[in-house]
């Protein structure tokens, strides 16, 4: 089985795939995300969004972050460097 363990304390009590939510003005929920610009053209700005997911240890509180769509972000990153 593919069990995830905490890197700090070795616990298997891992809260998986939670999103990090920010409550902005008017209590509007916004999940924190990474944005990578696809072009440097200011009139044609496209960006790729990667929603941040967190895994939290239910024993020591250690938190690991990852994005939902790393491959898509990597593609956009490569394009943005041209
Ligand atoms: Zn832990």
């Amino acid at each position: 089985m593919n069990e995830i363990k905490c890197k700090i304390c070795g616990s298997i009590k891992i809260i998986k795939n939670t999103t990090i939510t920010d409550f902005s003005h008017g209590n509007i929920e916004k999940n924190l995300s990474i944005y990578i610009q696809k072009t440097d053209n200011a009139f044609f700005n496209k960006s790729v969004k990667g929603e941040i997911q967190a895994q939290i240890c239910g024993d020591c509180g250690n938190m690991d972050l990852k994005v939902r769509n790393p491959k898509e972000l990597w593609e956009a990153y490569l394009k943005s460097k041209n």
Side-chain angles (χ1 to χ4, degrees):
M1 229 183 92
N2 197 11
E3 211 159 56
I4 303 169
K5 280 187 183 173
C6 174
K7 280 186 282 189
I8 306 298
C9 72
S11 170
I12 54 164
K13 293 182 194 166
I14 302 295
I15 304 163
K16 291 175 196 169
N17 298 334
T18 58
T19 51
I20 304 175
T21 306
D22 175 53
F23 291 92
S24 55
H25 296 291
N27 256 359
I28 298 163
E29 289 183 34
K30 282 184 95 177
N31 289 335
L32 294 191
S33 304
I34 304 283
Y35 286 92
I36 291 180
Q37 213 83 313
K38 260 184 169 173
T39 65
D40 54 7
N41 185 336
F43 299 101
F44 197 63
N45 257 337
K46 276 189 173 177
S47 60
V48 171
K49 176 185 167 187
E51 197 167 272
I52 298 173
Q53 294 184 321
Q55 291 180 354
I56 303 155
C57 173
D59 267 323
C60 75
N62 178 55
M63 190 164 79
D64 272 337
L65 299 178
K66 63 179 183 177
V67 291
R68 205 189 292 270
N69 51 346
K71 283 170 188 163
E72 203 184 335
L73 286 179
W74 177 244
E75 292 292 315
Y77 173 70
L78 291 180
K79 281 176 193 165
S80 73
K81 295 206 307 179
N82 291 333

